[in-house]
Amino acid sequence: MLENKSKYQADEHGYYGQFGGAFIPELLYPNVKELEDNYLKIINSEEFQEEYKYLLKDYCGRPTPLYLTRRLSQKYGAHIYLKREDLNHTGAHKVNNTIGQILVAKKLGKKRIIAETGAGQHGVATATVCALMGLECIVFMGEVDIKRQAPNVARMKMLGAKVVPATCGSKTLKDATNEAIRDWIGNPEDTYYLIGSVVGPHPYPDMVARLQAVISEEMKWQLKEQTGKENPDTIIACVGGGSNAAGAFYHYLDDEDVELIAVEAAGLGVHSGESAATSQLGEVGVLHGAKTILMQDEFGQVVEPYSLSAGLDYPGVGPLHAFLFESTRAKFMNATDQEALDAAYELTKLEGIIPALESAHALAVLPKMKLSKDQVVVVNLSGRGDKDLETYIANLK
Ligand SMILES: *Cc1c(COP(=O)(O)O)cnc(C)c1O
């Protein structure tokens, strides 16, 4: 773990430069304060680390492989590695975070776990660890999303979670988040709010980044083993809220010679009005309890984002990413729906790996880059494509 000396680390109030903090209703203050006072002590304790590492290994299947692609590398003329987060239990990086937070919740003596979910991926990862620990699980999900994401709703129910529809507003992720917060205010004693990305009020962004940091921790020794050097030249990751990217970047943030590339979803095109390319379209504001960059109209109302990929369909980015963008430490690129689909078909054909549509956005910037033959590039393959099969089949030409 990095100590609090890096400028890319949240300060004691949860700020990355001007971004972050905890902008919360007064009624939530005790819940957030309890977590803030305890999270570092808990996750740095030997007891936590032992169980967290054990579950990552024997339950999730970590370390995930770092795979040097053959035909993809040949095509783009560079050494392209994939960090195989798609091989985690439940099919994506999200479980790294839910395992960590469920252990925090247990340590705090909480009996009831609530979560919000959009596409259902975080809901499934949360329901999974609640089943594992025998804890009650309530997942808030927009009514519209419940209809769109039936297989994930079925999974959550089979895992024993209660799925509560959010029926206000656009009946999607932001309304589910509001419902979760309302529930948390009403049940401060026994309930833990398990957030799914590096978003929300401090300490969530910092805590989730630390729990996903295992990705770059492994990358360091795996690269050393395979290339003789810990550092690649370039790391590419997609950004919805930013948790898989935060994990892939974490241990390289201070190594300024490592190029970090964050890829946002451009939907039908950055300026088409149907996009989720937050850094290009957004402005500074407060979203879900943190000061960050978000897509908003002239009155400060959140603009509905769009991406074919449900995991990237988010109107903001976490405060760390807002800071990486503003400070230019990370380079922000984007990929449209079509570019991501093409990249997914390409990886499948060249390597026999069907990526999640989110992860395909990261792959989709390879043709836009000027790569050299000795360049070592790591693409964080955040998840597998099983959940996107219908979309892939519908769009095959
Ligand atoms: C949820 C999800 C994402 C986006 O979330 P981040 O917090 O930005 O990582 C990316 N890839 C997959 C496979 C996901 O399930």
Side-chain angles (χ1 to χ4, degrees), residues 92-94 121 196-197 238-245 311-312 356 358-359 382-383 387:
H93 67 291
K94 286 203 169 69
Q121 294 302 111
S197 189
C238 66
V239 173
S243 68
N244 87 87
L312 302 183
E358 291 83 1
S359 323
S382 54
K387 68 184 179 60

Side-chain angles (χ1 to χ4, degrees), residues 186-197:
N187 300 282
E189 299 289 319
D190 66 340
T191 297
Y192 181 87
Y193 182 18
L194 207 161
I195 292 186
S197 189

